[in-house]
Amino acid sequence: MNWNLSNKLYKEACAFIPGGVNSPVRSGKAVGFDPLFIKYAEGCRITDEDGNVYIDYVGSWGPLILGHSHPQIVAALKQAAQRGVSYGIPTRVELEMAKKVVEMVPSIEMVRMVNSGTEAAMSAIRLARGYTGRKKIIKFNGCYHGHADSLLVKSGSGLMTFGIPGTPGVPDEIVQHTISLPYNDPEAVLKVMKSAGEEVAAIIVEPVAANMGVVLPEAGYLEKLRRICTEYGSLLIFDEVITGFRLAPGGAQQHFGIMPDLTCLGKIIGGGLPVGAYGGARQIMERVAPSGDIYQAGTLSGNPLAMSAGLTMLDVLSRGEIYAQIDKKNSHLCAGLEEAATSAGVPLTVNRVGSLGCGFFTKGPVVDLESAARSDTQAYALFFREMLKRGVYFAPSQFEAFFVSAAHEYEDLDRTIQAAQEAMKVVGG
């Protein structure tokens, strides 16, 4: 393969866009490879500007659970665009989308649409503070809730990829009310709550941490968070931007049987277009303006293109037929990756749930940020490049999830496993 055109475009982009990309983890710096520039995508395949074709396990970082360019979603977008791309005035499709989200997500009685997962988390935090009259927030090391200032304390995702503990530009006084604790350690939460529980507005958590790789909650962890919040009068916020509608029609809260007070959504609900949402119990959500006194707004919120694509996506997912299928496919893929690593003598810990997965280049278990950070990032970088040569695209970071979609066939999975067997031999030396 050659990447001459992608390399040329990247060099040109660096003159006009910081780092040549519009989101840091796309840059490929962590894996020693300049980013691909994509021209076309369909099903589970992407094609770059040089004409190289790859089996894709990024899926636009999670939204494309049905695959690229799904015919029903493309048709819905065409129809919506012909009616107008934006109005800034209410539409029927916003109402239908809200009704669908309330129908599918167990804890949501009312929902507000926004434009990104970052907006959803930021707005949910503001609502929690306004509703409780408290200032402090508890989050968890390695969990990423977007790039709002107060939530960039010990986040995962791109910060972890580039070894950035926080970021310049965020004053200390902005984050003084944010407490970041180890994931999967309920005793640490309880210790803080015993001393400062009456000051804590909310605990925000990814029910499955998917921004430091994929780290599952240990048995009883989410239940304990729910009990602690109830006991101290704090709100429990599930950030389901990644897990929402991916682990089950009702997301991780349905999968694990836990009811949060507020839920942040994104990715899948836009069908591939920019979108976010936050929702929860009616008595909490009615505090949001104009019903209540807690302000939040967005000129493009409820955009008819995003709502049309998302509603079409949720109509398909609400039938629930694909979840067992993609879980089985991901199990097949992960078993193949583990076997490939074992045969090559390469330490690999594969964490998976549903269609989410991550292979950590370290001996397990991986249960929190500290254990994830022990991964051999250079080994992953070599694996990434070797897989790319063989027509398989994983995330250009050790600390990101991979996603199996309904568009992946077993033939694609087996081709990926064969490529991994060859790549692991190179990694193992």
Side-chain angles (χ1 to χ4, degrees), residues 260-427:
D261 299 295
L262 290 172
T263 300
C264 303
L265 299 170
K267 304 221 182 262
I268 283 175
I269 62 168
L273 274 70
V275 74
Y278 64 105
R282 182 176 301 277
Q283 66 181 20
I284 300 173
M285 292 300 296
E286 285 185 336
R287 288 289 302 275
V288 177
S291 295
D293 57 347
I294 299 171
Y295 195 74
Q296 177 269 314
T299 300
L300 296 177
S301 296
N303 175 270
L305 296 183
M307 295 296 96
S308 296
L311 183 58
T312 303
M313 175 79 85
L314 296 191
D315 281 339
V316 175
L317 296 180
S318 63
R319 302 168 202 156
E321 298 166 355
I322 75 163
Y323 290 99
Q325 297 170 12
I326 56 178
D327 175 74
K328 187 176 179 182
K329 288 177 181 179
N330 195 28
S331 176
H332 179 78
L333 174 64
C334 289
L337 294 175
E338 288 176 326
E339 184 179 345
T342 299
S343 297
V346 175
L348 187 74
T349 299
V350 178
N351 284 358
R352 65 167 291 269
V353 57
S355 57
L356 277 168
C358 181
F360 297 93
F361 279 73
T362 184
K363 293 182 179 180
V366 176
V367 297
D368 55 17
L369 181 65
E370 183 180 359
S371 50
R374 289 197 291 265
S375 299
D376 185 340
T377 55
Q378 293 305 307
Y380 180 84
L382 179 55
F383 175 75
F384 170 87
R385 296 193 299 268
E386 291 298 320
M387 293 298 282
L388 204 64
K389 292 176 187 177
R390 293 164 174 81
V392 179
Y393 189 77
F394 282 110
S397 167
Q398 166 68 94
F399 305 111
E400 297 286 352
F402 59 76
F403 302 90
V404 174
S405 75
H408 287 90
E409 303 292 347
Y410 280 95
E411 179 182 353
D412 304 310
L413 305 177
D414 288 338
R415 283 187 58 188
T416 302
I417 292 168
Q418 176 61 42
Q421 290 170 349
E422 298 170 7
M424 287 295 185
K425 288 178 182 177
V426 178
V427 175

Side-chain angles (χ1 to χ4, degrees), residues 123-377:
S123 302
I125 293 295
R126 181 184 300 159
L127 177 55
R129 284 177 165 147
Y131 182 79
T132 63
R134 303 174 181 181
K135 294 181 179 180
K136 294 188 183 298
I137 298 294
I138 292 176
K139 66 172 292 293
F140 298 96
N141 303 344
C143 286
Y144 179 71
H145 306 292
H147 57 88
D149 286 356
S150 65
L151 296 172
L152 277 178
V153 181
K154 295 183 180 178
S155 297
S157 196
L159 291 175
M160 191 172 179
T161 297
F162 295 106
I164 301 172
T167 186
V170 178
D172 291 342
E173 56 267 28
I174 296 293
V175 297
Q176 65 178 324
H177 298 301
T178 302
I179 302 165
S180 195
L181 300 173
Y183 187 76
N184 269 329
D185 186 351
E187 295 307 313
V189 179
L190 196 55
K191 183 177 180 180
V192 169
M193 295 299 275
K194 284 179 178 178
S195 63
E198 293 183 356
E199 302 174 60
V200 174
I203 296 175
I204 184 168
V205 64
E206 288 183 89
V208 173
N211 285 283
M212 50 175 156
V214 174
V215 178
L216 277 65
E218 294 184 334
Y221 176 61
L222 297 176
E223 289 87 346
K224 288 176 182 177
L225 294 183
R226 175 66 277 176
R227 287 198 297 271
I228 290 169
C229 283
T230 301
E231 180 180 352
Y232 286 91
S234 305
L235 300 188
L236 178 61
I237 304 173
F238 272 11
D239 183 341
E240 294 223 45
V241 168
I242 289 179
T243 58
F245 308 105
R246 180 163 281 278
L247 298 189
Q253 58 195 262
Q254 178 184 349
H255 181 83
F256 293 110
I258 308 292
M259 289 280 279
D261 299 295
L262 290 172
T263 300
C264 303
L265 299 170
K267 304 221 182 262
I268 283 175
I269 62 168
L273 274 70
V275 74
Y278 64 105
R282 182 176 301 277
Q283 66 181 20
I284 300 173
M285 292 300 296
E286 285 185 336
R287 288 289 302 275
V288 177
S291 295
D293 57 347
I294 299 171
Y295 195 74
Q296 177 269 314
T299 300
L300 296 177
S301 296
N303 175 270
L305 296 183
M307 295 296 96
S308 296
L311 183 58
T312 303
M313 175 79 85
L314 296 191
D315 281 339
V316 175
L317 296 180
S318 63
R319 302 168 202 156
E321 298 166 355
I322 75 163
Y323 290 99
Q325 297 170 12
I326 56 178
D327 175 74
K328 187 176 179 182
K329 288 177 181 179
N330 195 28
S331 176
H332 179 78
L333 174 64
C334 289
L337 294 175
E338 288 176 326
E339 184 179 345
T342 299
S343 297
V346 175
L348 187 74
T349 299
V350 178
N351 284 358
R352 65 167 291 269
V353 57
S355 57
L356 277 168
C358 181
F360 297 93
F361 279 73
T362 184
K363 293 182 179 180
V366 176
V367 297
D368 55 17
L369 181 65
E370 183 180 359
S371 50
R374 289 197 291 265
S375 299
D376 185 340
T377 55

